């Protein structure tokens, strides 16, 4: 088994795509650091060579001051350029990572989404990638800038006084040890904080979706208490992390900096008693020494962001490492299938050892309507999930026109399928988009025709903007029956060979059901239609009815034959008729 590359290497791989931009930014940064660090040396030269008592050399002083101001302006321009390059590169890196994540999520098996709260998935795409952005934009820029400044400062210190500069070399190892301790203990709390943020997002998402249920059953207080537990746990760990940060960042750096500065002053004071020490050298050394601690403090300030980014990156790469199936392009010249669906001794389980389908066998031919009925949990929806390729059977085979669907690309499999769910989903956009889904082969006339066939054109044309009427998320401004009719029109507009209706008439009124029944008689002509139905009155005309019980086909036949049999179907039908 191949070992996965480390998180650091994978982040570097994303950055190397833009290596030339980053190298260019670093070269500009070197120029900026050099220009900034030249300032104290120029000041030292002015003090020692041109401000000595008894010597009046204002012209050279003015030239050096002009050079100093010019270098400051040059450094400012360079800092802007390198900052822009690094920041824009970081944004591009995260854009690529977010697209890779979104692209891969569409390839992952539905089993992952069955067991993962939606809020956690959203948190990975939105929050965790944003945290990684902070790594590239803040920490990377700060770390690179700080390291370049430290190198330049130490070079300048060795030029001024190599004995004391050598003494100052003990500072980096000390701060590396402090940073290591900081990272070790801080990571524990940051990991918990990110986990709680993900849990909170999942709970918020769930609460918003089911808010009517929460209010109807007076669960507001309990929901708030559950959220408070998560929120408080995150707060407690955040406080602990801030304690570590407060102890190990500016506090300890400032203390060490004060001690080292005191040693330098003592050194120069002692030297001044033994020999003549240039005041300019003394000033420059103190100036450079004071600049050592600013880059170190900058790195400390960004350590928390870096740790948060690495924890988030681990979660992002965990999703990217999940096995997925490539979304393949479908050849437009592929022949339209006849739509002959066959299940041959199919067994299936969501969890190993817990079969929800057992030895299912049936055939639906072109132009036939096959209805699946049975109590909740009998396996009706599982059959549809297998046919659509969302899952693969544990045993047996499913074929369309004699071809095993497991050997077909999912896109080719679903191209000629249309599906209408019990709870239809409408996307944010106008009505015509919700029917065509921007499919180039579906014209506006075809959209209107599909809506007319299902009986939806009447209420749509009465809307203020007609077919351009905007639909809010999930279509909450429309009635359930209106959403269902638009969902039907969407399936019909794609002109499928196989039409799947998953309890599509369960949540609509009798009048709308009548419209749909009339439309179905027209659109099902020449198509294979599979219907999951709870309202048995809607499937009386089905060519074949399969009665499922605990994952097995208990009865099969048309309506008249099953009524004559007097079994499960007859009892269910009589119960619904009262």
């Amino acid at each position: 088994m191949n070992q996965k590359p480390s998180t650091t290497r994978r982040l570097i791989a994303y950055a190397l795509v833009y290596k030339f931009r980053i190298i260019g930014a670093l070269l500009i940064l070197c120029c900026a650091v050099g220009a900034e660090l030249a300032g104290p040396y120029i000041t030292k030269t002015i003090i020692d060579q041109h401000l000595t008592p008894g010597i009046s050399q204002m012209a050279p002083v003015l030239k050096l001051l002009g050079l100093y101001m010019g270098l400051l302006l040059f450094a400012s321009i360079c800092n802007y350029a390198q900052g822009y390059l690094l920041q824009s590169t970081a944004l591009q890196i995260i854009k690529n990572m977010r697209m890779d994540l979104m692209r891969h999520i569409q390839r992952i098996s539905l089993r992952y989404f069955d067991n993962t709260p939606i809020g956690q998935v959203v948190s990975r795409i939105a929050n965790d990638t944003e945290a990684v952005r902070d790594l590239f934009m803040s920490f990377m820029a700060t770390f690179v800038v700080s390291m370049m400044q430290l190198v330049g400062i130490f070079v300048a210190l060795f030029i001024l006084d190599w004995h004391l500069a050598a003494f100052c070399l003990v500072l980096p190892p000390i701060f590396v040890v402090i940073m290591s301790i900081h990272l070790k203990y801080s990571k524990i709390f940051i990991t918990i904080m990110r986990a709680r943020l993900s849990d909170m997002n999942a709970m918020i998402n769930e609460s918003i979706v089911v808010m009517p249920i929460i209010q109807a059953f007076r669960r507001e207080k309990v929901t708030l208490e559950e959220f408070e537990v998560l929120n408080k746990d995150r707060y407690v760990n955040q406080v602990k992390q801030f304690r570590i940060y407060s102890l190990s960042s500016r506090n300890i750096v400032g203390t060490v900096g004060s001690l080292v500065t005191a040693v330098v002053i003592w050194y120069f004071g002692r030297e001044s008693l033994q020999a003549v020490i240039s005041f300019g050298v003394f000033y420059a050394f103190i100036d450079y020494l004071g600049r050592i601690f600013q880059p170190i403090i900058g790195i400390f300030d960004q350590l928390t962001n870096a740790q948060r980014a690495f924890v988030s990156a681990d979660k992002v790469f965990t999703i990217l490492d999940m096995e997925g199936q490539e979304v393949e392009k479908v050849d437009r010249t592929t022949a339209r299938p006849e739509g002959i669906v066959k299940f041959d001794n199919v067994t299936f389980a969501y969890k190993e050892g817990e079969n929800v389908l057992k030895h299912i066998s049936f055939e639906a031919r072109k132009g036939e309507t096959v209805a699946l009925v049975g109590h909740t949990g009998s396996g009706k929806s599982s059959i549809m999930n297998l046919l659509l390729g969302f899952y693969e059977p544990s045993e047996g085979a499913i074929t369309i026109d004699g071809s095993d669907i497991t050997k077909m690309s999912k896109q080719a499999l679903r191209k000629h399928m249309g599906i209408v769910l019990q709870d239809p989903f409408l996307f944010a956009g106008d009505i015509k988009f919700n029917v065509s889904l921007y499919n180039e082969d579906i014209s506006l006339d075809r959209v209107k025709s599909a809506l007319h066939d299902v009986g939806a054109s009447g209420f749509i044309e009465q809307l203020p903007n007609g077919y351009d009427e905007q639909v809010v998320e999930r279509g909450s401004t429309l009635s359930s029956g209106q959403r269902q009719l638009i969902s039907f029109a969407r399936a019909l507009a794609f002109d499928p060979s196989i039409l799947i209706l998953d309890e599509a008439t369960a949540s609509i009124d009798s009048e709308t059901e009548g419209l749909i029944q009339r439309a179905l008689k027209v659109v099902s002509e020449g198509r294979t239609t599979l219907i999951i139905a709870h309202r048995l009155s809607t499937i009386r005309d089905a060519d074949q009815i399969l009665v499922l019980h605990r994952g097995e086909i208990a009865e099969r036949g048309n309506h008249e034959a099953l009524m004559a049999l007097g079994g499960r179907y007859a009892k269910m039908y009589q119960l619904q008729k009262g």
Side-chain angles (χ1 to χ4, degrees):
M1 183 178 178
N2 295 330
Q3 187 176 3
K4 298 291 183 183
S6 66
T7 300
T8 302
R9 289 179 62 184
R10 298 176 76 164
L11 290 172
I12 291 174
Y14 271 98
L16 287 178
V17 176
Y18 303 98
K19 54 182 177 293
F20 295 114
R21 291 185 65 178
I22 294 175
I23 291 172
L26 295 182
L27 291 176
I28 296 173
L29 175 60
C30 290
C31 296
V33 171
E36 289 177 346
L37 294 180
Y41 198 87
I42 293 175
T43 305
K44 172 250 181 193
T45 303
I46 292 174
I47 293 173
D48 288 345
Q49 298 183 15
H50 303 291
L51 296 182
T52 305
I55 299 178
S56 178
Q57 297 177 325
M58 291 306 296
V61 171
L62 292 176
K63 289 181 180 180
L64 288 171
L65 287 176
L67 175 62
Y68 192 1
M69 295 177 65
L71 287 174
L72 289 178
L73 179 61
F74 176 72
S76 176
I77 295 172
C78 288
N79 280 325
Y80 169 79
Q82 65 87 12
Y84 176 81
L85 278 175
L86 283 178
Q87 302 283 358
S88 59
T89 302
L91 290 173
Q92 188 69 35
I93 290 171
I94 296 307
K95 181 177 77 71
N96 295 343
M97 179 180 289
R98 192 172 284 136
M99 285 305 301
D100 286 346
L101 185 59
M102 189 66 185
R103 193 177 294 113
H104 189 71
I105 280 177
Q106 296 183 1
R107 297 196 291 253
I108 297 176
S109 168
L110 285 184
R111 290 181 186 272
Y112 171 72
F113 301 101
D114 289 340
N115 302 311
T116 306
I118 295 174
Q120 287 189 12
V121 181
V122 173
S123 182
R124 298 292 173 268
I125 300 174
N127 296 342
D128 288 329
T129 54
E130 198 69 13
V132 178
R133 178 187 67 84
D134 291 338
L135 173 67
F136 286 107
M137 290 188 66
S138 301
F139 180 77
M140 184 177 74
T142 302
F143 184 80
V144 172
V145 170
S146 299
M147 292 303 297
M148 295 296 297
Q149 288 176 336
L150 286 174
V151 171
I153 289 170
F154 272 103
V155 170
L157 289 177
F158 271 97
I159 293 174
L160 290 172
D161 190 308
W162 72 268
H163 294 92
L164 200 53
F167 167 75
C168 291
L169 284 176
V170 302
L171 290 176
I174 292 175
F175 290 125
V176 167
V177 172
I178 296 171
M179 288 180 187
S180 300
I181 297 173
H182 171 94
L183 291 171
K184 177 181 178 181
Y185 291 99
S186 183
K187 184 178 180 180
I188 299 172
F189 303 119
I190 289 177
T191 302
I192 297 174
M193 287 160 52
R194 298 303 296 179
R196 292 299 165 269
L197 179 61
S198 179
D199 293 339
M200 288 164 63
N201 283 337
M203 185 175 179
I204 291 171
N205 182 84
E206 182 184 66
S207 298
I208 292 173
V209 172
V210 299
M211 187 59 70
I213 303 298
I214 291 175
Q215 294 182 357
F217 287 90
R218 306 182 306 282
R219 292 275 301 176
E220 296 95 337
K221 183 177 179 181
V222 175
T223 302
L224 193 61
E225 290 172 351
E226 292 174 354
F227 184 82
E228 185 179 10
V229 171
L230 298 174
N231 196 25
K232 184 176 181 180
D233 190 31
R234 187 173 191 274
Y235 164 78
V236 169
N237 284 279
Q238 199 165 22
V239 169
K240 292 178 181 178
Q241 193 273 328
F242 276 132
R243 287 175 185 167
I244 294 175
Y245 169 78
S246 299
L247 290 172
S248 60
S249 58
R250 293 176 178 269
N251 190 7
I252 197 164
V253 172
T255 303
V256 173
S258 300
L259 293 174
V260 172
T261 303
V263 171
V264 171
I265 293 175
W266 170 82
Y267 172 84
F268 275 103
R270 181 174 60 85
E271 288 294 312
S272 66
L273 297 176
Q274 300 174 4
V276 177
I277 297 297
S278 164
F279 180 73
V281 172
F282 175 70
Y283 166 81
F285 204 99
I286 293 297
D287 192 324
Y288 283 128
L289 185 61
R291 297 188 183 205
I292 286 180
F293 304 106
Q294 291 305 314
I296 295 174
I297 290 174
I299 293 175
F300 262 114
D301 286 347
Q302 294 299 328
L303 277 179
T304 300
N305 286 339
Q307 277 195 306
R308 186 183 300 116
F310 274 98
V311 171
S312 297
D314 286 337
K315 295 181 182 299
V316 170
F317 290 133
T318 297
I319 294 181
L320 289 175
D321 289 336
M322 290 180 180
E323 185 177 353
Q325 195 162 24
E326 197 67 33
V327 178
E328 302 175 5
K329 292 184 178 180
V330 181
D331 187 358
R332 289 195 169 194
T333 61
T334 302
R336 177 186 172 91
E338 290 289 315
I340 302 173
V341 176
K342 185 176 181 180
F343 276 61
D344 185 11
N345 200 32
V346 171
T347 297
F348 170 68
Y350 292 101
K351 295 182 180 179
E352 188 174 353
E354 300 179 11
N355 292 335
V356 295
L357 293 178
K358 306 166 189 175
H359 311 294
I360 299 296
S361 296
F362 69 89
E363 183 176 11
R365 305 193 65 81
K366 178 181 178 181
E368 287 186 349
T369 297
V370 176
L372 306 176
V373 301
H375 297 296
T376 300
S378 59
K380 304 185 298 297
S381 295
S382 297
I383 289 177
M384 298 304 187
N385 288 336
L386 290 175
L387 179 58
L388 286 162
F390 294 147
Y391 304 92
E392 293 189 357
S394 308
E395 299 176 15
I398 304 171
T399 61
I400 296 179
D401 293 356
S403 300
D404 192 330
I405 66 171
T406 59
K407 298 178 181 178
M408 301 167 59
S409 78
K410 303 306 179 187
Q411 299 304 302
L413 170 65
R414 298 164 189 158
K415 180 181 180 182
H416 297 287
M417 288 187 182
I419 183 170
V420 180
L421 302 174
Q422 177 182 1
D423 184 17
F425 187 92
L426 298 187
F427 298 90
D430 57 34
I431 289 178
K432 64 178 184 294
F433 155 70
N434 268 282
V435 175
S436 68
L437 299 182
Y438 291 139
N439 189 311
E440 297 176 358
D441 297 329
I442 300 177
S443 64
L444 179 59
D445 290 338
R446 189 164 162 185
V447 168
K448 292 181 177 180
S449 177
L451 289 167
H452 178 269
D453 288 342
V454 299
S457 56
F459 81 84
I460 290 175
E461 291 172 357
Q462 293 178 3
L463 296 173
N465 298 311
Y467 297 95
D468 295 320
E469 182 76 12
Q470 291 295 311
V471 177
V472 299
E473 186 179 4
R474 299 185 66 87
S476 58
T477 56
L478 300 173
S479 70
S480 59
Q482 290 171 335
R483 294 198 303 270
Q484 193 64 280
L485 288 174
I486 294 174
S487 181
F488 261 97
R490 178 194 300 163
L492 301 182
F494 280 79
D495 191 25
S497 297
I498 302 170
L499 185 62
I500 299 172
L501 308 178
D502 190 351
E503 303 186 50
T505 59
S507 60
I508 58 178
D509 56 78
S510 300
E511 182 179 352
T512 306
E513 180 185 336
L515 288 173
I516 292 175
Q517 290 298 326
R518 287 192 293 272
L520 280 177
K521 288 181 180 179
V522 176
V523 299
S524 62
E525 185 69 30
R527 293 185 176 88
T528 305
T529 306
L530 290 93
I531 303 175
I532 292 178
H534 277 166
R535 288 189 185 181
L536 303 186
S537 60
T538 63
I539 57 168
R540 291 188 56 170
D541 296 330
D543 297 287
Q544 185 179 185
I545 300 172
L546 305 179
V547 183
L548 294 170
H549 179 65
R550 295 183 179 178
E552 298 179 306
I553 298 178
E555 300 172 5
R556 71 176 74 205
N558 59 26
H559 175 76
E560 288 76 15
L562 291 176
M563 290 300 293
L565 184 63
R568 292 182 177 276
Y569 177 84
K571 292 179 181 178
M572 287 190 292
Y573 189 84
Q574 290 167 357
L575 283 173
Q576 289 191 8
K577 285 293 184 180

